[in-house]
């Protein structure tokens, strides 16, 4: 796991170019604290910079930038190739292997490029990666990203210079960079709580989509649009059209594939562990790790002092059954609040999935003991785990049969009549094992769903934070929502899973995990996103995913072989935090300063009246904390990285309780 950055362009040149490249890589030093490197072809105007977190082959034989054996190709590469041993053996069997200098996956990847070309190599790689390969013969730079989007890669052209890097903070260090906010991206951010690819928050800078590559010439111009080397649309459409028979053998097939995916991700020359929440996904990954390990696997979780948000006891029970070497860090609300001032620098693009805070806390805990940690992310999207797959559409269909006046009355009641306090009071009257975390959020959302007129509108509503973000952003607008040539699935649950895998998974979940872990120099690996497993999951019949009103049926059946169902079977919690209480208490002054009306007017991004109305209603009765967290994360980000845009509005310090 590493960080990459570079540029193509003659400004600056010579020593000045080397100094600029150093600033770019220093900005992402947290991604690679063990080593750094630079390569500059002054004649071509190409500069490649690298920060290394040493995982495979800790020697200088793994140093980057790295040249191929012939010298034709030079690469910087962030990630891991899990089938590099297979590729190495294949190259040797074909007589196409170089005289190996070490045992790094980078060297094997370069040898694969020399043998099969860049695209041919990409089609053979099983891994997570963002890479740049400069072809000295063709004078072309190829940028590429892994199939599911585990590793980030930003790029764009500004003032005649082509820039790219693992994080935006590297690009902003180049003197040609222009800090202009893309207002369409900002509008999309308010809807989804992340900026969807291919946009970034900065105008003219883009995210390379997962499973795509793009070629850049020596003048820094793209030789065409980004192209796919793996077609997720085709994978999903073909699997849904011809599902496998629903037989018990499917569980055996899943176990074989997932065990191999886990085993490949356990390989490292540094200590390896796993996140463990005690839920289905993380418990399955840990169970298959322990089944293939000669010693206790190291597992990590955090426990909160608020029992409503604490999963530590569940994780301890699973760890005890499996026999892992388990560590729990008990954290307080103050520990979590202390992270807030650092969020804009960690994500360096507006990002407001509030589970970013506990994800960072568990990453920091894990990094004290290991350098690599396996994660259970991806299981929900592949195997039908989200509530919207199971209950959202079903509730809408039932409500659709109600008479119009009754349906509208029910929708209005759920949206406007239940305050956060009323929902909390209602939950206290329910037995603990049946309580639903976040009911105050779900009731208004349910009211919005009932009011919609089609399954597509239901899904859009379910994934939206702000119903009409263009009305809140000054000069804002939204591009068309549908992707190019999205499949037309017979079962709308498949549509939701497809869209979540294509958008929400890379732009929210994997972005969250990457930044939270890399901020503390921890490599997070995601076995569920082995592309062979993704292809298998899309060939499963829906009955293997959702059965008897529960999602992830096949995963639960597999986990039953390793962990008693009683230790796992409980309502889904997620990685939640008490945002409602924070905004009413320790974060109130911080939020008030960021949402000050004069400040909003001076910055010119949001309609002040709309923002102030939300804030006033939040203080009076609650219910808008998710929308407000989006606004606050942008405001905090702009104050930190907006090039002084917030300074004219006055300094905004974090409250004493959370000041870093």
């Amino acid at each position: 796991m590493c960080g990459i950055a570079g540029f193509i362009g003659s400004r600056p040149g010579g020593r000045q170019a080397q100094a600029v490249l150093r600033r770019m890589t220093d900005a992402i030093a947290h991604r690679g604290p063990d080593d750094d490197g630079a390569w500059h072809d002054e004649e071509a105007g190409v500069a490649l910079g690298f920060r290394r977190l040493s995982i495979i082959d800790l020697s200088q034989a793994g140093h980057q930038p790295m040249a191929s054996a012939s010298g034709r190709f030079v690469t910087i590469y962030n990630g891991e190739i899990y089938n590099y041993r297979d590729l190495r053996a294949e190259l040797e069997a074909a007589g196409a292997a170089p005289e190996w200098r070490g045992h790094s996956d980078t060297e094997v990847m370069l040898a694969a490029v020399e043998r099969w070309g860049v695209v041919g190599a990409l089609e053979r790689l099983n891994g997570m990666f963002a890479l740049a390969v400069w072809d000295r013969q063709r004078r072309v730079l190829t940028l590429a990203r892994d199939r599911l989007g585990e590793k980030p890669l930003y790029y764009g052209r500004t003032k005649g210079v082509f820039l790219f890097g693992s994080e935006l903070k590297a690009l902003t260090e180049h003197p040609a960079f222009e800090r202009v906010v893309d207002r369409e991206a900002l509008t999309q951010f308010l809807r989804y709580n992340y900026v969807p690819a291919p946009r970034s928050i900065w105008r003219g800078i883009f995210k390379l989509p997962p499973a795509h590559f793009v070629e850049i010439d020596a003048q820094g111009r793209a030789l065409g649009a980004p192209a796919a080397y793996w077609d997720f649309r085709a994978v999903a459409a073909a699997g849904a059209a011809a599902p496998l028979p629903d037989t018990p053998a499917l569980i055996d097939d899943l176990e074989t594939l997932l065990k191999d995916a886990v085993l490949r991700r356990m390989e490292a020359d540094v200590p390896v562990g796993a996140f463990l929440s005690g839920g289905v996904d993380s418990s399955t990954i840990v169970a298959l790790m322990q089944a293939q390990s000669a010693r206790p696997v190291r597992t990590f979780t955090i426990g909160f002092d608020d029992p409503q948000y604490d999963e530590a006891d569940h994780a301890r029970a699973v760890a005890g059954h499996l026999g892992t070497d388990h560590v729990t860090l008990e954290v307080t609300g103050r520990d979590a609040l202390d992270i807030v001032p650092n969020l804009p620098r960690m994500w360096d693009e507006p990002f407001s999935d509030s589970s970013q805070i506990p994800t960072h806390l568990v990453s920091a805990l894990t990094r004290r003991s290991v350098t690599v940690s396996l994660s259970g992310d991806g299981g929900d999207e592949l195997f039908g785990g989200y509530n919207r797959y199971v209950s959202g559409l079903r509730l809408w269909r039932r409500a659709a049969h109600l008479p119009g006046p009754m349906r509208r009355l029910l929708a209005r009641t759920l949206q406007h009549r239940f305050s956060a306090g009323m929902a909390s009071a209602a939950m206290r009257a329910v037995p603990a094992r049946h309580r639903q975390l976040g009911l105050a959020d779900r009731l208004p959302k349910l009211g919005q769903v009932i009011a919609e007129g089609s399954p597509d509108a239901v899904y859009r509503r379910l994934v939206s934070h702000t119903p009409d973000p263009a009305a809140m952003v000054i000069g804002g607008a939204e591009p068309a929502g549908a992707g190019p040539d999205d499949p037309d699935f017979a079962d709308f649950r498949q549509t939701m899973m497809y869209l979540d895998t294509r958008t929400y998974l890379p732009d929210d979940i994997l972005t969250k995990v990457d930044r939270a872990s890399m901020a503390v120099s921890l490599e997070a690996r995601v076995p569920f996103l082995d592309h062979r497993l993704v292809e298998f999951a899309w060939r499963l019949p829906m009955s293997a995913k959702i059965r008897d009103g529960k999602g992830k049926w096949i995963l639960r059946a597999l986990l039953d072989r390793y962990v008693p169902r009683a230790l796992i079977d409980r309502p889904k919690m997620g990685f939640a935090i008490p945002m409602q209480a924070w905004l009413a208490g320790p974060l109130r002054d911080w939020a008030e300063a960021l949402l000050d009306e004069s400040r909003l007017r001076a910055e010119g991004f949001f309609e002040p009246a709309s923002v102030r109305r939300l804030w006033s209603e939040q203080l009076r009765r609650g219910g808008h904390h998710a929308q407000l967290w989006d606004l606050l994360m942008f405001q905090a980000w702009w104050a930190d990285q907006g090039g002084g845009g917030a300074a004219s509005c006055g300094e905004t310090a974090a409250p004493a309780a959370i000041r870093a």
Side-chain angles (χ1 to χ4, degrees):
M1 186 68 64
C2 309
I4 64 174
F7 56 88
I8 301 177
S10 59
R11 296 177 304 173
R15 291 184 178 179
Q16 191 179 0
Q18 296 172 26
V20 168
L21 187 63
R22 167 66 71 175
R23 291 202 302 272
M24 293 174 73
T25 55
D26 283 351
I28 53 174
H30 52 280
R31 298 188 73 91
D34 298 331
D35 189 19
D36 66 277
W39 182 85
H40 183 213
D41 183 335
E42 190 166 355
E43 180 184 354
V46 177
L48 306 178
F50 183 71
R51 295 292 314 209
R52 185 184 186 197
L53 178 63
S54 301
I55 303 292
I56 300 289
D57 194 342
L58 310 185
S59 74
Q60 279 297 298
H63 177 79
Q64 297 183 44
M66 183 182 292
S68 64
S70 71
R72 175 178 172 179
F73 299 99
V74 181
T75 193
I76 47 176
Y77 141 68
N78 164 32
E80 302 290 347
I81 306 301
Y82 302 120
N83 65 334
Y84 80 98
R85 291 186 183 275
D86 300 337
L87 293 173
R88 180 170 172 144
E90 184 177 355
L91 289 164
E92 289 171 349
E99 185 175 337
W100 301 111
R101 291 164 282 181
H103 67 275
S104 75
D105 55 341
T106 310
E107 188 177 6
V108 174
M109 183 268 288
L110 273 173
V113 168
E114 290 216 302
R115 172 66 171 171
W116 296 298
V118 176
V119 177
L122 289 171
E123 292 171 343
R124 289 167 168 81
L125 300 183
N126 179 344
M128 58 174 184
F129 52 83
L131 58 84
V133 177
W134 173 249
D135 184 338
R136 301 174 76 176
Q137 179 177 307
R138 290 181 61 214
R139 294 171 65 85
V140 168
L141 179 74
T142 302
L143 303 179
R145 195 173 176 203
D146 64 68
R147 288 173 175 82
L148 278 302
E150 295 181 60
K151 293 295 100 190
L153 188 54
Y154 294 88
Y155 70 100
R157 184 177 170 85
T158 176
K159 294 183 179 178
V161 179
F162 179 84
L163 307 173
F164 70 92
S166 296
E167 296 183 22
L168 286 172
K169 60 173 64 72
L171 279 65
T172 61
E173 289 296 325
H174 195 285
F177 189 85
E178 296 182 285
R179 295 175 185 265
V180 180
V181 169
D182 182 332
R183 294 191 182 237
E184 284 196 3
L186 175 56
T187 306
Q188 288 184 296
F189 166 68
L190 290 191
R191 181 173 293 282
Y192 299 114
N193 80 232
Y194 58 84
V195 177
R199 282 181 166 81
S200 83
I201 193 62
W202 296 118
R203 192 173 69 189
I205 304 298
F206 304 95
K207 302 179 180 84
L208 186 64
H212 280 66
F213 69 94
V214 64
E215 293 186 325
I216 311 298
D217 67 17
Q219 285 70 51
R221 299 186 184 280
L223 298 174
Y229 62 88
W230 181 75
D231 190 347
F232 173 59
R233 179 200 182 282
V235 166
L244 296 166
D246 191 350
T247 69
L250 290 178
I251 305 171
D252 298 329
D253 295 340
L254 173 61
E255 183 174 31
T256 298
L257 272 172
L258 190 52
K259 284 183 76 172
D260 184 68
V262 167
L263 185 62
R264 288 177 183 272
R265 286 156 181 78
M266 291 171 66
E267 181 175 353
D269 295 331
V270 293
V272 177
F275 301 140
L276 178 62
S277 70
V280 173
D281 300 334
S282 66
S283 297
T284 302
I285 297 302
V286 170
L288 296 182
M289 288 179 74
Q290 192 59 70
Q292 301 177 94
S293 176
R295 57 176 66 112
V297 170
R298 297 181 181 183
T299 54
F300 304 89
T301 192
I302 54 172
F304 288 99
D305 55 359
D306 185 341
Q308 186 179 194
Y309 299 91
D310 186 28
E311 291 186 293
D313 287 344
H314 302 296
R316 271 191 289 265
V318 173
H321 177 80
L322 293 173
T324 71
D325 179 4
H326 190 64
V327 176
T328 301
L329 174 67
E330 300 292 341
V331 300
T332 65
R334 181 181 295 268
D335 295 325
L337 285 163
D338 283 342
I339 303 299
V340 174
N342 302 321
L343 297 178
R345 290 300 293 170
M346 284 187 207
W347 270 264
D348 82 347
E349 182 173 44
F351 183 83
S352 51
D353 180 337
S354 59
S355 62
Q356 63 198 129
I357 295 173
T359 303
H360 176 69
L361 286 170
V362 74
S363 296
L365 163 69
T366 303
R367 186 61 178 93
R368 297 176 190 175
S369 303
V370 301
T371 311
V372 174
S373 183
L374 273 61
S375 162
D377 293 292
D380 286 312
E381 291 82 0
L382 294 181
F383 300 103
Y386 291 130
N387 289 329
R388 55 179 168 265
Y389 306 150
V390 180
S391 57
L393 196 60
R394 181 180 62 201
L395 290 170
W396 174 79
R397 283 172 173 160
R398 288 178 178 175
H401 294 294
L402 294 174
M406 183 181 298
R407 185 178 174 190
R408 289 191 291 273
L409 175 62
L410 178 60
R412 285 197 301 270
T413 300
L414 291 172
Q415 289 182 66
H416 304 299
R417 298 292 177 84
F418 284 93
S419 67
M422 292 170 65
S424 297
M427 274 296 96
R428 286 194 293 271
V430 175
R433 65 192 184 95
H434 295 300
R435 290 176 186 169
Q436 295 293 313
L437 190 62
L439 183 65
D441 299 338
R442 294 178 184 178
L443 289 177
K445 183 76 78 172
L446 176 58
Q448 294 166 0
V449 165
I450 289 172
E452 294 297 348
S454 71
D456 294 277
V458 168
Y459 175 78
R460 185 170 173 82
R461 177 68 70 176
L462 286 170
V463 299
S464 296
H465 278 211
T466 301
D468 186 11
M472 187 167 288
V473 177
I474 297 172
E478 289 189 272
D485 300 321
D486 284 340
D488 185 13
F489 296 103
D491 188 328
F492 194 74
R493 292 173 295 181
Q494 293 171 321
T495 300
M496 291 190 282
M497 292 179 202
Y498 170 82
L499 292 172
D500 281 344
T501 303
R502 190 172 62 78
T503 58
Y504 177 67
L505 178 64
D507 292 332
D508 186 315
I509 301 300
L510 298 178
T511 296
K512 174 183 66 180
V513 173
D514 176 81
R515 303 306 192 280
S517 58
M518 291 311 298
V520 293
S521 306
L522 175 74
E523 173 167 302
R525 298 178 176 178
V526 190
F528 281 124
L529 299 187
D530 187 304
H531 71 277
R532 301 167 302 162
L533 193 63
V534 173
E535 291 166 357
F536 172 76
W538 272 94
R539 296 186 66 203
L540 290 173
M542 187 59 68
S543 58
K545 298 179 180 182
I546 299 174
R547 187 180 299 187
D548 300 328
K550 286 187 176 181
K552 296 191 283 198
W553 179 87
I554 192 170
L555 270 189
R556 296 173 191 273
L558 171 57
L559 186 56
D560 285 344
R561 298 178 175 184
Y562 297 89
V563 177
R565 179 67 65 98
L567 296 183
I568 302 295
D569 212 7
R570 66 183 192 278
K572 186 178 180 66
M573 288 182 68
F575 233 170
I577 56 173
M579 186 59 65
Q580 191 102 283
W582 285 3
L583 290 178
L587 287 181
R588 180 169 177 171
D589 291 343
W590 170 78
E592 183 65 61
L594 287 172
L595 302 179
D596 176 76
E597 185 170 357
S598 62
R599 181 192 193 102
L600 293 169
R601 292 189 184 282
E603 292 170 342
F605 292 112
F606 303 119
E607 293 288 351
S610 299
V611 174
R612 294 302 303 179
R613 183 173 62 253
L614 276 179
W615 180 234
S616 296
E617 290 180 4
Q618 174 67 28
L619 294 177
R620 188 171 65 254
R621 59 192 296 272
H624 297 304
H625 54 280
Q627 276 184 268
L628 286 163
W629 190 244
D630 298 339
L631 293 163
L632 288 165
M633 284 294 94
F634 176 84
Q635 290 293 95
W637 170 83
W638 181 249
D640 182 77
Q641 299 190 36
S648 61
C649 304
E651 186 70 19
T652 301
I658 65 169
R659 194 171 296 136

